[in-house]
Amino acid sequence: MDLSTVKDMIRIIPDFPRAGISFKDITTVVKDGEAFKYVINEMAKRCADKDIDLIVGPEARGFIVGAPLAYQLGVGFVPIRKPGKLPAEKIRKEYQLEYGFDAMELHKDAIKPGQKVLIVDDLLATGGTIITAVKLVEELGGKIAGLMFLIELTELGGRETLRGYDVISLIQYPY
């Protein structure tokens, strides 16, 4: 198994969820035990030199790659959720979508000041979701150790949005 094989496994669906979007479907990778294990192991290798206390993953696909990576590294996993999903006291940040706004929430007690946090998601596009996750973590005093993605859409400017942070991606597509 190698990254080229994994990239070939990713299903590309044109015009989903709307015209002009080329959706990168990772379900074809995560349903294959060997490929999924390889991806998580590769992510673990790429952050082995970081002193990480926690992994944070945004809903929903950040859970898919973030939780097993946290398990592999022997650290905790903290979910960032859509509004109304977290039961305890939380903080909230709104962010802009192409057509409107959305929000994400994080439990106030999820991160202790000074903890080193790796934020993990399946895909980096414009960086809007992840910069919002960064702001939530930093509001609680967490220190960003890095931002890790299975896929990066290089032409959409996500790295520029996340300038100043260590961005790691396994597979790149122009768009």
Side-chain angles (χ1 to χ4, degrees):
M1 184 69 53
D2 60 22
L3 287 174
S4 177
T5 303
V6 172
K7 187 173 184 176
D8 289 344
M9 293 174 75
I10 294 169
R11 180 172 32 208
I12 310 235
I13 302 172
D15 298 322
F16 182 84
R18 64 181 175 278
I21 302 292
S22 175
F23 188 81
K24 310 303 184 275
D25 179 15
I26 66 164
T27 63
T28 51
V29 173
V30 299
K31 76 176 184 176
D32 181 294
E34 182 183 356
F36 192 29
K37 184 176 182 177
Y38 176 79
V39 163
I40 298 305
N41 287 337
E42 279 300 304
M43 289 179 143
K45 285 180 197 172
R46 305 224 180 166
C47 64
D49 64 335
K50 299 185 179 312
D51 185 21
I52 299 166
D53 297 312
L54 286 173
I55 290 182
V56 168
E59 189 170 345
R61 291 184 305 244
F63 298 1
I64 293 171
V65 290
L69 180 59
Y71 175 84
Q72 176 77 10
L73 295 174
V75 300
F77 177 79
V78 173
I80 291 181
R81 303 291 316 259
K82 295 177 181 173
K85 305 276 184 161
L86 293 174
E89 193 175 357
K90 57 202 153 284
I91 59 172
R92 174 187 175 113
K93 295 274 183 222
E94 289 191 0
Y95 62 103
Q96 190 165 357
L97 298 169
E98 193 170 339
Y99 299 103
F101 289 88
D102 205 349
M104 295 192 302
E105 298 178 339
L106 179 62
H107 276 140
K108 278 190 171 182
D109 64 357
I111 297 167
K112 295 178 183 137
Q115 282 189 304
K116 293 176 237 44
V117 176
L118 178 71
I119 300 177
V120 179
D121 206 354
D122 70 318
L123 185 131
L124 171 60
T126 64
T129 299
I130 297 303
I131 199 66
T132 304
V134 165
K135 290 175 184 175
L136 285 166
V137 168
E138 290 179 338
E139 182 175 326
L140 294 179
K143 304 297 178 196
I144 304 300
L147 309 170
M148 177 163 296
F149 307 92
L150 172 55
I151 299 169
E152 178 181 0
L153 304 178
T154 57
E155 293 178 6
L156 294 183
R159 273 188 190 263
E160 184 63 26
T161 300
L162 303 172
R163 189 175 9 152
Y165 297 97
D166 184 20
V167 176
I168 305 161
S169 61
L170 297 186
I171 296 169
Q172 296 79 34
Y173 289 93
Y175 177 64

